[in-house]
Amino acid sequence: MLEVWSSALGVWCLLLMMSDSVCAVESRFPMKPRIWLSFDGRPWQELADDDNGTIAVSRIAARTRLRPDSLTVGDDSLGIFEGITIQDIRSVLGSTAGTARECAVPVDGDALQPGPADSKDRSGELIKPMLLPQLQHLPRNEFDLARILFPEPPGKLAVSRNIYRWLLLSEADVAEKYLLGADDSVVTGHLTASLTRRFRDARSEMHVSMFVGNIFHDIFWLMEVYSGLQFQYELLFNCNEVTGDSLSGSTRERSRPDTLITASGCTFLVGEDKLSSLTAALEDLRTKIRPLSSMFYGDLACILGYVAAGTNFQWVCIDKSGDIKKAGNCLSLSSTVGRSQFLLSVGYAYQLIMKMALSVPFVLGRRAMFTRENQGDREIAFYPGFVRKSIKNFQRFCDAWGTNIDLILRAYELGETCRFLPRICLIGDTAIHHNSYRVDIRPIGYSPVLGTEQDTRMLAQNVCEALSVLHEAGLVHRDIRLQNILQVSKEQFMLIDLETVAASPFRVPPGFKWFKEWSDATLEGAVYTPLSDMYQLGILLERRMRWESPGAKDFIRRLKTKQCSAAMALDDPWISNPTS
């Protein structure tokens, strides 16, 4: 006997296969195979084979709602799903000639209530009791959020009829308030498995994260597939930063929450898991949250959060200031009523996050907080209020691009007095350790939106201010392009990526790899000078300028012909006199 432990109620589907020979083409047996359902060791019901003597596992699945990958036999794993037949199982088991072979197949509680093989899946109908009425207003505080996550009367979870009847006998108040017995379907299968999944003493923080994460994943998937409510989102679980931010390669305290749910370039849910202390989880989450940017979140007053520890789960409300307050009561995931409320509230959270994602303003280039982008040895991590840039093999980077740490730090120090350059945060630190580089910088911004000539004029003025400060300090930027300019507010742009700075003038060595936007006209001979920065700005403006203003045309001509420095550009009539 091959034994596979069952989840949920320990229900086993026993396949007793008896045969005198193996047919390589057809799934036929001289003797009738028998499929038994049993519960607690007692035979429950026999499922018949089909007319031609074959037994397709799809027929079993239709009657017992087997989940994919619920059967494991031999040295290989074989998942049961529609289309798998006895022949497929025999190919894993090997020859059964003259012998009887048994497989133990774990199924969920619906195996106790087989339905007709041709029954229609009613998942779309059965998920409707989990849907909220149309949300008229988004939550403004923790009380509004609690009313959405715990409505009265509550919704209903469609579970198998057998589980429903059993709970009517053991916990009638819970069954009547939160559950309904239903026929076999994908929705009832997942909800039954989630409701009956026992969660007692967690042995590690990872166990807590896995339990909570699995519930979020299952409920969000059901809502996405069967509710008719769809939007683009991403679930990130157990965001462990072991060695991720540690320049020494050692484990450091995480600066990202364990769970993230992002959509529309925004993070709408963050969660923190602990082994035993809910208070510690809440304090840990508070250290990771900063005020939410109105530029990113618009009029949205708050986002969702949670803390979980052991078998306890608590929803929280995170407002624009970054303050965290509890929303609703603490749920005990070791109890049936607590798990019922948890499953329903996760479904409501899906619907609320979809509404939030549709309400935030469109921002080009927005990045959700606590997410990351990787480009080879370079990584950018987005946090509330600041960005963390990391470069591995930093010496190789410096050698390749003709810079060094002293020049880079000097450039960032200039940001303390020039608001058009980024500056180093007080949060975190700047370090080079074991040939790795990291810097935490602020403020955060988004891709420039140049809708009018005045927008372009403001960008040009701000970049010229930044270049004037760099050039006066004996530095050149060398990589002036739109991707290295962020819009911080409607009237503030910022020149970023100061890791490309070099001492001025920069003599280009033989074999040096040019920056992406360089051309022969960029350099003066083999030298990159402050006027080269101005030339690159002129090229950028020429490509982006859609207006025929004489002042703009003349300004771009002066930049491209290298007739003015950054300081002189600030006195140009098109920059200094908006009416020109």
Side-chain angles (χ1 to χ4, degrees), residues 190-203:
H190 278 266
L191 293 179
T192 300
S194 296
L195 183 66
T196 57
R197 185 178 298 152
R198 297 295 181 184
F199 184 56
R200 295 185 176 91
D201 295 329
R203 297 187 299 275

Side-chain angles (χ1 to χ4, degrees), residues 374-406:
N374 290 281
Q375 298 177 341
D377 287 342
R378 292 187 244 185
E379 178 183 84
I380 301 178
F382 301 89
Y383 294 93
F386 71 98
V387 173
R388 174 167 295 164
K389 300 184 69 173
S390 303
I391 303 176
K392 299 177 181 178
N393 301 309
F394 183 62
Q395 190 56 53
R396 183 174 65 184
F397 171 87
C398 291
D399 293 342
W401 297 109
T403 189
N404 60 61
I405 186 63
D406 293 333

